[in-house]
mmCIF file of all heavy atoms in Angstrom:
data_model
loop_
_atom_site.group_PDB
_atom_site.id
_atom_site.type_symbol
_atom_site.label_atom_id
_atom_site.label_comp_id
_atom_site.label_asym_id
_atom_site.label_seq_id
_atom_site.Cartn_x
_atom_site.Cartn_y
_atom_site.Cartn_z
ATOM 1 N N MET Q 144 -3.245 -10.317 46.970
ATOM 2 C CA MET Q 144 -2.363 -11.437 47.262
ATOM 3 C C MET Q 144 -1.632 -11.204 48.593
ATOM 4 O O MET Q 144 -1.538 -12.113 49.424
ATOM 5 C CB MET Q 144 -1.347 -11.632 46.132
ATOM 6 C CG MET Q 144 -0.502 -12.888 46.294
ATOM 7 S SD MET Q 144 0.599 -13.151 44.906
ATOM 8 C CE MET Q 144 1.818 -11.878 45.214
ATOM 9 N N ARG Q 145 -1.148 -9.988 48.815
ATOM 10 C CA ARG Q 145 -0.457 -9.676 50.078
ATOM 11 C C ARG Q 145 -1.414 -9.796 51.256
ATOM 12 O O ARG Q 145 -1.039 -10.294 52.319
ATOM 13 C CB ARG Q 145 0.132 -8.271 50.018
ATOM 14 C CG ARG Q 145 1.357 -8.178 49.148
ATOM 15 C CD ARG Q 145 1.979 -6.787 49.199
ATOM 16 N NE ARG Q 145 2.983 -6.663 48.167
ATOM 17 C CZ ARG Q 145 3.065 -5.662 47.309
ATOM 18 N NH1 ARG Q 145 2.216 -4.663 47.375
ATOM 19 N NH2 ARG Q 145 4.012 -5.631 46.395
ATOM 20 N N MET Q 146 -2.646 -9.341 51.043
ATOM 21 C CA MET Q 146 -3.635 -9.422 52.101
ATOM 22 C C MET Q 146 -3.939 -10.876 52.439
ATOM 23 O O MET Q 146 -4.054 -11.239 53.621
ATOM 24 C CB MET Q 146 -4.908 -8.693 51.663
ATOM 25 C CG MET Q 146 -5.795 -8.311 52.769
ATOM 26 S SD MET Q 146 -4.897 -7.215 53.882
ATOM 27 C CE MET Q 146 -6.246 -6.484 54.670
ATOM 28 N N GLN Q 147 -4.025 -11.730 51.425
ATOM 29 C CA GLN Q 147 -4.247 -13.157 51.658
ATOM 30 C C GLN Q 147 -3.059 -13.769 52.402
ATOM 31 O O GLN Q 147 -3.241 -14.610 53.290
ATOM 32 C CB GLN Q 147 -4.475 -13.887 50.338
ATOM 33 C CG GLN Q 147 -5.818 -13.599 49.715
ATOM 34 C CD GLN Q 147 -5.965 -14.211 48.329
ATOM 35 O OE1 GLN Q 147 -4.988 -14.579 47.695
ATOM 36 N NE2 GLN Q 147 -7.201 -14.289 47.864
ATOM 37 N N GLN Q 148 -1.841 -13.354 52.047
ATOM 38 C CA GLN Q 148 -0.655 -13.861 52.724
ATOM 39 C C GLN Q 148 -0.659 -13.456 54.193
ATOM 40 O O GLN Q 148 -0.353 -14.260 55.075
ATOM 41 C CB GLN Q 148 0.614 -13.366 52.032
ATOM 42 C CG GLN Q 148 0.852 -13.988 50.677
ATOM 43 C CD GLN Q 148 1.998 -13.328 49.924
ATOM 44 O OE1 GLN Q 148 2.378 -12.193 50.192
ATOM 45 N NE2 GLN Q 148 2.552 -14.055 48.955
ATOM 46 N N VAL Q 149 -1.015 -12.207 54.471
ATOM 47 C CA VAL Q 149 -1.070 -11.721 55.850
ATOM 48 C C VAL Q 149 -2.152 -12.476 56.619
ATOM 49 O O VAL Q 149 -1.934 -12.917 57.760
ATOM 50 C CB VAL Q 149 -1.322 -10.191 55.890
ATOM 51 C CG1 VAL Q 149 -1.707 -9.711 57.280
ATOM 52 C CG2 VAL Q 149 -0.106 -9.444 55.373
ATOM 53 N N THR Q 150 -3.306 -12.652 55.994
ATOM 54 C CA THR Q 150 -4.400 -13.385 56.646
ATOM 55 C C THR Q 150 -3.995 -14.825 56.943
ATOM 56 O O THR Q 150 -4.260 -15.349 58.036
ATOM 57 C CB THR Q 150 -5.662 -13.365 55.745
ATOM 58 O OG1 THR Q 150 -6.016 -12.004 55.483
ATOM 59 C CG2 THR Q 150 -6.826 -14.078 56.391
ATOM 60 N N THR Q 151 -3.330 -15.448 55.998
ATOM 61 C CA THR Q 151 -2.859 -16.820 56.194
ATOM 62 C C THR Q 151 -1.848 -16.874 57.334
ATOM 63 O O THR Q 151 -1.918 -17.758 58.203
ATOM 64 C CB THR Q 151 -2.237 -17.365 54.893
ATOM 65 O OG1 THR Q 151 -3.217 -17.343 53.858
ATOM 66 C CG2 THR Q 151 -1.719 -18.779 55.061
ATOM 67 N N ALA Q 152 -0.909 -15.934 57.351
ATOM 68 C CA ALA Q 152 0.103 -15.911 58.412
ATOM 69 C C ALA Q 152 -0.542 -15.705 59.777
ATOM 70 O O ALA Q 152 -0.188 -16.386 60.759
ATOM 71 C CB ALA Q 152 1.129 -14.811 58.131
ATOM 72 N N ILE Q 153 -1.498 -14.793 59.860
ATOM 73 C CA ILE Q 153 -2.196 -14.544 61.127
ATOM 74 C C ILE Q 153 -2.962 -15.791 61.560
ATOM 75 O O ILE Q 153 -2.952 -16.161 62.736
ATOM 76 C CB ILE Q 153 -3.130 -13.315 61.010
ATOM 77 C CG1 ILE Q 153 -2.291 -12.040 60.893
ATOM 78 C CG2 ILE Q 153 -4.105 -13.238 62.182
ATOM 79 C CD1 ILE Q 153 -3.079 -10.789 60.592
ATOM 80 N N SER Q 154 -3.594 -16.451 60.600
ATOM 81 C CA SER Q 154 -4.344 -17.682 60.919
ATOM 82 C C SER Q 154 -3.410 -18.757 61.462
ATOM 83 O O SER Q 154 -3.725 -19.420 62.460
ATOM 84 C CB SER Q 154 -5.062 -18.209 59.672
ATOM 85 O OG SER Q 154 -6.015 -17.291 59.234
ATOM 86 N N ILE Q 155 -2.269 -18.925 60.819
ATOM 87 C CA ILE Q 155 -1.302 -19.937 61.270
ATOM 88 C C ILE Q 155 -0.785 -19.599 62.663
ATOM 89 O O ILE Q 155 -0.701 -20.474 63.539
ATOM 90 C CB ILE Q 155 -0.150 -20.070 60.254
ATOM 91 C CG1 ILE Q 155 -0.684 -20.731 58.974
ATOM 92 C CG2 ILE Q 155 1.012 -20.872 60.834
ATOM 93 C CD1 ILE Q 155 0.300 -20.702 57.806
ATOM 94 N N LEU Q 156 -0.464 -18.332 62.890
ATOM 95 C CA LEU Q 156 0.010 -17.916 64.215
ATOM 96 C C LEU Q 156 -1.076 -18.101 65.265
ATOM 97 O O LEU Q 156 -0.797 -18.535 66.396
ATOM 98 C CB LEU Q 156 0.476 -16.462 64.177
ATOM 99 C CG LEU Q 156 1.776 -16.198 63.414
ATOM 100 C CD1 LEU Q 156 2.044 -14.700 63.307
ATOM 101 C CD2 LEU Q 156 2.945 -16.910 64.096
#
Side-chain angles (χ1 to χ4, degrees):
M144 187 176 73
R145 286 184 191 131
M146 200 60 160
Q147 287 174 343
Q148 290 171 339
V149 167
T150 303
T151 300
I153 290 172
S154 297
I155 290 170
L156 289 173

